[in-house]
Amino acid sequence: MIELRQITKQFGQGASAVRALDSISLHVPEGCIYGVVGSSGAGKSTLIRCVNLLERPSSGKVIVRGKDLTAMAESDLRRERRHIGMIFQHFNLLSSRTVFGNIALPLELAGMSSAEIETMVLPLLELTGLSDKRNSYPSQLSGGQKQRVAIARALASRPRVLLCDEATSALDPATTVAILNLLKDINRKLGLTILMITHEMDVVKSICDRVAILSQGQLIEENDVEQFFLSPKTELAREFVRTAIHEKRPNDLESGFQTEPAPGARPVIRITFVGRTVGQPLITKASRQFGVDISIMQADIETVNGKSMGFLMVELFGSETAVDEAIKYLRSQEVSVEVVGYVH
Ligand SMILES: Nc1ncnc2c1ncn2[C@@H]1O[C@H](COP(=O)(O)OP(=O)(O)O)[C@@H](O)[C@H]1O
Ligand SMILES: [Mg+2]
């Protein structure tokens, strides 16, 4: 649905040039909720603005719904942009217009009659839970309600793609959950493809099907969300996962923690699995079968894109051979196992 091919974006020239995006390629399948996470300044906003060519890439191709936007004449591009909705962190509503007036704006600009506009806006008010606010002005609304208006406005021209630039970053946690649920609902009901960029891994955990990590303009890791949580490959990905599962670092839990093995040091392993009931029986079995004691340092069950996932960090006590055998056994099971370090 959205395909970026080797997108590079440079701002400025010469010594002061900033390369905001460095040869980014990614594919967002139809109907997918795709998250791009990265720290501030990573290039996320530049990336999402390149998708509808609000920002023109310095090189590379942007293909949306099978059409190469980068090769289009301005008039064709304007038409194509109607199929791409966008929402922002700060809502960008017109304060002089009512809720109805804000949602109707793109339809007025497209030259529709007021009767047609009415028949299109009413279901959107309904869908976004704003029916009783149609005559209110933005200043009379909460942040969550404002974002609902922005979503309804973005949907007015019946886009197939919705771009969200930090859409929940200005909202409190409860409102964030409500807006994310609304986006998921729209994704299901309308089959809308959603590309969201965010600095919050919690957003990805709640609703995304796939995720990519952007760092200093480069896409450093990309995966299905479940796989991403099961086995992040880069240190940055692990850091993002850690924030979403509220995992403490092992050196904050145990004073004698180190990353290198040493004689007499006990391994600390992280076990990640899908399902609520997978972890504990395996640990019990490994402990019995190989005669190792297993002590749980932290344990957490999280819902990742609607599925339960378990995150355990445990310390293994026993002879070196027994501990190795136990780890080997765990690795042969349907769980992801990683030795994170050792404790004295
Ligand atoms: N219009 C611009 N002119 C010059 N530099 C820019 C412009 N927009 C973004 N940048 C730079 O590009 C980099 C990425 O910015 P941005 O895409 O806004 O990151 P993010 O959204 O991840 O915080 C930053 O170094 C930023 O300063
Ligand atoms: Mg940004």
Side-chain angles (χ1 to χ4, degrees), residues 11-12 18-20 38-47 55 165-166 197 214:
F11 291 108
V18 175
R19 181 165 280 209
S39 316
S40 172
K44 303 183 298 296
S45 293
T46 308
L47 177 72
E55 204 74 77
D165 186 348
E166 301 275 5
I197 62 166
L214 197 61

Side-chain angles (χ1 to χ4, degrees), residues 7-11 20-21 41-51 54-57 165 197 214:
I7 295 293
T8 293
K9 176 69 189 183
Q10 184 166 315
F11 291 108
L21 298 175
K44 303 183 298 296
S45 293
T46 308
L47 177 72
I48 207 159
R49 288 163 61 80
C50 279
V51 174
L54 280 179
E55 204 74 77
R56 204 165 258 282
D165 186 348
I197 62 166
L214 197 61

Side-chain angles (χ1 to χ4, degrees), residues 47-270:
L47 177 72
I48 207 159
R49 288 163 61 80
C50 279
V51 174
N52 54 9
L53 296 201
L54 280 179
E55 204 74 77
R56 204 165 258 282
S58 311
S59 62
K61 278 187 198 303
V62 178
I63 297 160
V64 181
R65 306 194 321 138
K67 294 180 190 148
D68 183 352
L69 302 192
T70 29
M72 258 179 202
E74 197 57 39
S75 57
D76 293 333
L77 181 58
R78 263 201 300 279
R79 187 155 20 86
E80 216 39 54
R81 275 204 188 108
R82 282 188 212 134
H83 303 293
I84 309 174
M86 189 164 185
I87 59 172
F88 307 87
Q89 180 174 2
H90 296 297
F91 325 123
N92 301 7
L93 302 179
L94 291 178
S95 57
S96 60
R97 283 183 164 237
T98 61
V99 166
F100 185 96
N102 268 283
I103 302 171
L105 184 62
L107 304 174
E108 286 173 27
L109 294 176
M112 284 191 186
S113 73
S114 32
E116 283 174 308
I117 290 176
E118 178 102 7
T119 56
M120 292 197 69
V121 173
L122 293 185
L124 289 169
L125 286 166
E126 179 83 18
L127 178 71
T128 51
L130 289 168
S131 297
D132 59 333
K133 297 285 176 205
R134 68 172 280 174
N135 298 318
S136 302
Y137 285 89
S139 61
Q140 300 167 310
L141 302 177
S142 69
Q145 289 165 337
K146 285 182 198 164
Q147 195 58 294
R148 285 170 189 275
V149 179
I151 291 170
R153 179 182 58 185
L155 295 178
S157 36
R158 306 200 176 197
R160 300 306 305 145
V161 169
L162 181 65
L163 308 177
C164 311
D165 186 348
E166 301 275 5
T168 56
S169 299
L171 305 175
D172 61 69
T175 311
T176 293
V177 170
I179 292 294
L180 292 176
N181 286 341
L182 174 62
L183 290 172
K184 185 91 196 173
D185 195 40
I186 290 167
N187 162 257
R188 287 213 190 103
K189 278 191 188 144
L190 311 178
L192 195 71
T193 305
I194 301 182
L195 176 61
M196 347 194 36
I197 62 166
T198 177
H199 66 280
E200 296 167 309
M201 197 59 196
D202 266 332
V203 168
V204 172
K205 186 179 79 174
S206 323
I207 64 164
C208 290
D209 303 304
R210 279 192 85 78
V211 58
I213 291 206
L214 197 61
S215 173
Q216 298 180 347
Q218 296 190 329
L219 206 155
I220 60 165
E221 191 165 337
E222 204 262 349
N223 216 334
D224 172 77
V225 163
E226 199 176 282
Q227 277 308 316
F228 185 87
F229 274 84
L230 270 177
S231 47
K233 296 188 212 52
T234 57
E235 191 42 46
L236 187 60
R238 153 109 333 259
E239 197 55 50
F240 273 111
V241 168
R242 201 176 348 251
T243 62
I245 64 173
H246 315 290
E247 182 185 279
K248 291 201 182 74
R249 293 157 175 282
N251 46 338
D252 293 333
L253 294 166
E254 292 273 0
S255 52
F257 181 82
Q258 59 187 58
T259 50
E260 297 305 315
R266 308 179 294 276
V268 172
I269 64 173
R270 181 191 291 114

Side-chain angles (χ1 to χ4, degrees), residues 2-5 24-28 34 36 47 195 212 219:
I2 302 174
E3 207 183 327
L4 304 183
R5 289 196 198 149
I24 303 277
S25 295
L26 65 81
H27 173 231
V28 182
Y34 193 109
V36 176
L47 177 72
L195 176 61
L219 206 155

